Amino acid sequence: MGENIENFIQYLTNVKRSSNNTIASYRRDLNKLTEYMSLNKISSFCDVNNTMLNSYILKLEKDGMSSATVSRNVASIRSFFSFLLNQGIISKNPTENIKPPKVEKKTPETLSIEEVSLLLEQPSGKSSKEIRDKAMLELLYATGMRVTELISLKVSDVNISLNFVQCIDNGRERIIPFENAAKNALTKYLYQVRPSMCGDSEFLFTNCKGEQMTRQGFWKIIKLYATRANIDKDITPHMIRHSFAMHMVNNGADLRSLQEMLGHSDISTTQIYLKSKRSKLKEVYDKAHPRVGV
């Protein structure tokens, strides 16, 4: 069974060009399924049927797994068995009648524009570290890119003169513009700090030892400045991404452009930010219209 999973992982990597996070999730989900199969003395994917899979999904729910996580498991299993069917390993797809639980998409928590401004003002010192941190935070909010994309940027990915950055995720490339605040912070970092901090590293941002910045390292940077700013929220890099998207929508950005900037493969993922805008419009209407309370 392990060989079937590894072949599927290779398919996701080389053919589908799925993201590293997606591949890791699929592998984890399928390994969990094989553990359940072993407990039930099922040694081949050919012996898996609809009843067994529905029992497995019910078990995940009873174990307290969230609806979103159960749904992702269902998606992983469906994709895997479709792959096995196409490869001729199984003769019938046992996932045809499996239904994932309904998942209500929640509006993501974001920072207000004032909170973002306060956060970005925190690295205001003249030390090399604060100049680097300022550039990273400004670029993150200016582009809405994922933290993994930010720390993977190469110097050659940034075009300072034309105000855009080239973001590459698993072979998929997108161009994201950035505004002058990010440009100014990047320019200062590139010419005053980076040569001595990064040495001959190809990465745009490194730690103080000249090594590639890690997700954990950047997470600590955000926590430091959030504490300084006295912002009473559990700020994460992804919250800044959500804030970028929400602020863009609220200020008139169209969803298709935002989808391209965020790198969403499906526009339904981007539409969640529109839900918040509609809620805000309703709130404004209820407060302003003279006959709401009649």
Side-chain angles (χ1 to χ4, degrees), residues 85 133 237:
L85 186 66
D133 296 349

Side-chain angles (χ1 to χ4, degrees), residues 152-209:
S152 300
L153 285 175
K154 310 289 178 57
V155 177
S156 57
D157 293 328
V158 180
N159 189 315
I160 287 288
S161 61
L162 296 180
N163 288 45
F164 74 79
V165 61
Q166 176 180 261
C167 191
I168 301 174
D169 177 35
N170 259 10
R172 293 192 296 261
E173 175 188 308
R174 68 185 192 277
I175 301 297
I176 316 172
F178 53 79
E179 32 66 41
N180 284 333
K183 177 177 182 174
N184 293 337
L186 274 170
T187 301
K188 187 173 183 179
Y189 164 71
L190 282 169
Y191 294 104
Q192 295 185 20
V193 171
R194 193 183 177 281
S196 58
M197 178 179 282
C198 304
D200 58 359
S201 174
E202 63 179 340
F203 291 104
L204 178 62
F205 299 110
T206 69
N207 61 24
C208 294
K209 296 179 180 179

Side-chain angles (χ1 to χ4, degrees), residues 251-284:
N251 283 291
D254 68 274
L255 285 185
R256 285 294 179 188
S257 297
L258 185 60
Q259 177 191 4
E260 185 176 344
M261 285 184 276
L262 292 172
H264 288 161
S265 56
D266 191 336
I267 198 167
S268 64
T269 307
T270 318
Q271 286 173 334
I272 193 157
Y273 300 109
L274 195 59
K275 179 180 177 183
S276 175
K277 184 178 182 180
R278 287 170 180 159
S279 298
K280 184 177 179 181
L281 286 173
K282 182 67 167 61
E283 182 182 340
V284 170

Side-chain angles (χ1 to χ4, degrees), residues 1 28 58 69-71 88 90 101 104 109 113-114 172 179 189 231 236 241 246 253 257 280 284:
M1 291 191 293
R28 187 167 55 248
L58 184 62
T69 305
V70 173
S71 292
I90 59 175
E104 182 181 351
E109 186 178 6
I113 293 175
E114 293 74 22
R172 293 192 296 261
E179 32 66 41
Y189 164 71
I231 300 174
T236 65
R241 174 174 163 86
M246 199 73 78
S257 297
K280 184 177 179 181
V284 170

Side-chain angles (χ1 to χ4, degrees), residues 196-227:
S196 58
M197 178 179 282
C198 304
D200 58 359
S201 174
E202 63 179 340
F203 291 104
L204 178 62
F205 299 110
T206 69
N207 61 24
C208 294
K209 296 179 180 179
E211 301 165 345
Q212 184 184 7
M213 177 74 67
T214 64
R215 290 169 59 93
Q216 294 79 6
F218 186 59
W219 182 86
K220 290 178 181 178
I221 289 171
I222 288 182
K223 293 297 179 184
L224 169 66
Y225 295 118
T227 301

